[in-house]
């Protein structure tokens, strides 16, 4: 840091996508930032270089279409908000059709140079081994999915045994409006109302014996992804991938997550289903449903094909597919306030993948918000969160409360890392989707496209208003 400031610095731990963006936003707000990055002193199992914002796998930031793709919308909003990550990505773009892909070295070098050259940012190459000391009264932890063990243990001690996960065990999440309710029905097992339910909380998909056997055959034959050597094999019996359960015996799933007991098909009460797939509401908006107990290591292509065999899911659109891989992340909907601050330690924020968002862009976007919130706090200003109709606000809302915390499976955490997707946005005003004049056929698919376009337009307009009000 070669510049004096009336403000004391904000400490950012982790110089990945989120930490670099957070430090940049803090410094651009006129507040000094100290960025602590351990690579150079200690590596991770996935990073290969000492560069800031290294992309550990793909070089793609995914779709850049801001008119009808939720990832493209968040790109556009981040550009409007002066994102360093997006500026460097744009400068180092490589041809990739409708996607924004980057030259990974050029991109990381550019981020490293911009951070190093900023007069208000100091980079310290060191591992932070515990929670920030009290004198770092404003700090952001952005240490990502591979947070070093010392800090991870300290976070676990602060937040509680169940509040920090080391693996994703993700069941696929489906857009509610792509489920065929002429085949499926709403019912909780044995019509149990429970503490917060209605007795009709789950969507149920019925399978007869033939459909069940075909499904089991497809699961067993399906192509699965292996674990990397450093990930270990994190199977424990409460969380087996469904294809592993199917391999253990044809009836295993019918006595596990696909058991039909306590359920009566509302469309055909006389016939008992042989097996049932249940989906549970995943977000407060009620637009997303997760497939209960369906964590899987199947490859994405295989998942789409196999899960669409389930009656009622033939046209399912997946907000995210299932997975099981190493990932350190906290139970944000319970632990964080709406400005990403740990409720038990005001002044300490989390950003990036450790908050339970997923992906390069999403991680950087939460870094952008954490940086802005921390800078505002340092300057004695009120935080100004983006509205939920923006992609930034939709993702922030999901992490800090929008996800429903499951209370029907005591001891189980239902919060799973999430990419940005249109299911996280509030619904449009009723009557917004109207058949354009001169168009003869206006089918469900056309309505979905129009809905996405309208949500994208609303998001960008509201993002501009939000930034103008900041
Ligand atoms: C193997 C793997 C493959 C992935 N592939 C993709 C992909 O293809 N596409 C995609 O969009 N996302 C992918 N992800 C997810 C990806 O990691 C995140 O999207 C993104 O990198 C997270 O950004 P982040 O800033 O939160 O964490 P990171 O980018 O990982 O940054 C965290 C930084 O914190 C540092 N750090 C950790 N602990 C400490 C400590 N105690 N003290 C100081 N520094 C510390 C690390 O060295 C690192 O630089 C992948 C993740 C993994 C693990």
């Amino acid at each position: 840091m070669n510049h004096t400031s009336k403000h004391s610095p904000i400490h950012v731990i982790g110089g990945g996508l989120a930490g670099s963006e957070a430090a940049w936003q803090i410094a651009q707000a006129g507040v000094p930032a100290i960025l602590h990055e351990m690579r150079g002193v200690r590596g991770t199992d996935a990073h290969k270089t000492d560069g800031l914002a290294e992309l550990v796998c793909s070089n793609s930031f995914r779709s850049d279409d801001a008119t009808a793709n939720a990832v493209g919308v968040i790109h556009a909003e981040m550009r409007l908000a002066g994102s360093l990550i997006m500026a460097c990505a744009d400068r180092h773009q490589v041809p990739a059709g409708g996607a924004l892909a980057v030259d990974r070295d050029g991109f990381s070098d550019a981020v490293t140079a911009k951070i190093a050259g900023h007069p208000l940012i100091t980079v310290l190459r060191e591992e932070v081994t515990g929670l920030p000391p009290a004198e770092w009264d404003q700090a952001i932890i952005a240490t990502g999915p591979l947070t070093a063990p010392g800090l991870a243990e300290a976070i676990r001690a602060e937040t509680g045994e169940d509040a920090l996960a080391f693996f994703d065990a993700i069941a696929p999440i489906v857009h509610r409006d792509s489920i065929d309710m002429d085949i499926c029905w709403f019912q909780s097992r044995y019509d149990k109302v429970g503490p917060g339910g209605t007795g009709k909380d789950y969507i149920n998909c019925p399978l007869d014996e033939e459909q069940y056997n075909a499904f089991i055959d497809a699961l067993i034959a399906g192509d699965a992804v292996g674990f990397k050597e450093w990930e270990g094999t994190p199977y424990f019996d409460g969380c087996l991938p469904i294809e592993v359960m199917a391999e253990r015996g044809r009836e295993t799933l019918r006595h596990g997550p696909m058991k039909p007991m306590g359920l009566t098909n509302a469309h055909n009460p006389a016939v008992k289903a042989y097996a049932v797939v249940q989906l549970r509401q995943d977000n407060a908006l009620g637009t997303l449903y997760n497939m209960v107990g369906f964590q899987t290591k199947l490859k994405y292509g295989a998942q789409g094909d196999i899960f669409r065999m389930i009656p009622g899911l033939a046209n399912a659109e997946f907000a995210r597919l299932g997975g099981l891989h190493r990932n350190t992340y906290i139970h944000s909907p319970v632990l964080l306030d709406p400005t990403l601050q740990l409720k038990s330690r005001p002044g300490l924020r989390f950003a990036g993948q450790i908050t339970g968002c997923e992906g390069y862009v999403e991680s950087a976007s939460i870094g952008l918000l954490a940086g802005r919130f921390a800078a505002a706090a340092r300057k004695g200003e009120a935080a100004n969160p983006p509205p939920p109709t923006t992609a930034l606000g939709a993702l922030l809302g999901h992490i800090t409360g929008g996800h429903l915390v499951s209370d029907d499976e005591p001891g189980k955490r239902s919060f799973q890392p999430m990419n940005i997707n249109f299911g996280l946005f509030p619904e449009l005003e009723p009557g917004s989707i109207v058949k354009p004049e001169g168009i003869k056929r206006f089918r469900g698919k056309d309505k979905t496209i129009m809905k996405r376009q309208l949500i994208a337009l609303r998001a960008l307009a509201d993002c501009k208003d939000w930034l103008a009000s900041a």
Side-chain angles (χ1 to χ4, degrees):
M1 193 170 11
N2 51 19
H3 193 273
T4 50
S5 165
K6 61 182 175 170
H7 302 293
S8 46
I10 295 170
H11 294 260
V12 180
I13 309 171
L17 278 300
S20 301
E21 183 68 59
W24 182 257
Q25 293 289 330
I26 292 164
Q28 290 294 88
V31 176
I34 298 179
L35 181 60
H36 306 256
E37 168 53 54
M38 71 177 182
R39 281 178 294 118
V41 178
R42 175 186 181 137
T44 79
D45 288 316
H47 292 85
K48 304 260 185 295
T49 74
D50 295 342
L52 300 180
E54 178 185 331
L55 305 179
V56 286
C57 188
S58 152
N59 66 334
S60 175
F61 282 30
R62 315 197 320 274
S63 173
D64 204 27
D65 174 8
T67 64
N69 186 295
V71 185
V73 176
I74 210 166
H75 286 175
E77 291 184 9
M78 289 171 72
R79 289 183 181 112
L80 288 171
S83 161
L84 172 68
I85 293 299
M86 290 310 299
C88 294
D90 287 337
R91 212 163 304 134
H92 293 275
Q93 188 170 2
V94 295
L100 172 60
V102 303
D103 170 328
R104 66 178 72 241
D105 292 331
F107 165 74
S108 170
D109 290 349
V111 174
T112 307
K114 290 295 267 184
I115 293 276
H118 200 296
L120 285 178
I121 304 179
T122 306
V123 180
L124 297 181
R125 294 286 179 168
E126 63 181 16
E127 177 186 351
V128 175
T129 53
L131 286 186
E135 56 272 24
W136 298 5
D137 60 327
Q138 287 290 335
I140 298 173
I141 296 180
T143 44
L146 306 173
T147 296
L151 180 57
E153 270 317 308
I155 294 169
R156 178 139 72 166
E158 172 73 23
T159 56
E161 187 67 23
D162 293 331
L164 185 75
F166 290 99
F167 277 91
D168 285 346
I170 301 167
I173 296 175
V174 182
H175 287 274
R176 156 78 181 81
D177 57 11
S178 67
I179 301 172
D180 187 346
M181 295 308 291
D182 290 336
I183 296 175
C184 307
W185 74 99
F186 275 103
Q187 186 186 9
S188 305
R189 207 177 288 284
Y190 299 110
D191 303 307
K192 273 192 188 154
V193 175
T198 64
K200 292 184 187 303
D201 299 325
Y202 290 77
I203 294 179
N204 300 282
C205 311
L207 290 89
D208 62 24
E209 187 169 358
E210 198 181 324
Q211 289 165 331
Y212 177 78
N213 279 318
F215 181 70
I216 296 296
D217 289 340
L219 275 183
I220 292 171
D223 234 0
V225 187
F227 282 101
K228 301 203 172 59
E229 199 185 316
W230 50 266
E231 286 189 305
T233 304
Y235 296 154
F236 47 100
D237 271 359
C239 193
L240 282 178
I242 45 164
E243 62 279 10
V244 174
M245 281 192 252
E247 275 167 12
R248 289 190 174 183
R250 295 193 78 77
E251 292 293 292
T252 311
L253 280 170
R254 226 168 70 77
H255 293 279
M258 293 177 74
K259 61 178 177 281
M261 272 81 81
L263 296 167
T264 305
N265 186 343
H267 303 293
N268 194 0
V271 177
K272 183 94 192 140
Y274 189 73
V276 172
V277 173
Q278 287 203 300
L279 294 101
R280 182 177 47 227
Q281 187 174 333
D282 198 75
N283 62 344
L285 296 171
T287 51
L288 300 175
Y289 275 71
N290 66 66
M291 298 175 68
V292 179
F294 265 53
Q295 54 279 350
T296 174
K297 282 289 279 180
L298 288 172
K299 287 191 174 157
Y300 283 177
Q303 287 189 43
D305 294 344
I306 296 171
F307 296 147
R308 288 194 183 98
M309 291 171 70
I310 297 168
L313 301 188
N315 298 313
E317 285 201 31
F318 293 94
R320 71 159 305 157
L321 287 160
L324 197 65
H325 60 84
R326 170 103 171 261
N327 188 13
T328 310
Y329 66 101
I330 59 171
H331 202 189
S332 296
V334 170
L335 296 174
L336 301 184
D337 79 0
T339 69
L340 298 162
Q341 211 164 196
L342 195 62
K343 289 176 189 164
S344 64
R345 260 191 79 166
L348 177 58
R349 288 185 168 74
F350 283 79
Q353 184 134 331
I354 197 168
T355 63
C357 64
E358 170 121 346
Y360 301 144
V361 178
E362 288 86 342
S363 298
S365 75
I366 296 298
L368 181 150
L369 293 175
R372 285 177 164 246
F373 295 152
R378 177 59 89 222
K379 289 158 82 175
E381 297 166 1
N384 180 18
T389 46
T390 61
L392 289 168
L395 185 61
L396 176 70
H398 183 77
I399 293 166
T400 58
H403 170 82
L404 290 182
V405 177
S406 166
D407 54 12
D408 57 349
E409 293 175 279
K412 272 203 177 178
R413 301 175 22 151
S414 57
F415 178 58
Q416 296 297 344
M418 184 64 99
N419 289 122
I420 185 69
N421 66 78
F422 281 120
L424 301 185
F425 291 72
E427 288 289 355
L428 296 164
E429 293 290 319
S432 304
I433 301 171
V434 281
K435 182 162 93 69
E437 270 183 42
I439 299 255
K440 269 203 193 134
R441 294 214 315 185
F442 192 52
R443 291 162 301 187
K445 202 172 150 213
D446 303 315
K447 285 184 190 160
T448 304
I449 293 171
M450 181 181 275
K451 179 177 168 185
R452 290 177 180 173
Q453 289 170 336
L454 291 174
I455 291 176
L457 275 176
R458 179 183 68 179
L460 293 177
D462 288 358
C463 183
K464 285 176 190 156
D465 288 348
W466 166 61
L467 289 167
S469 73

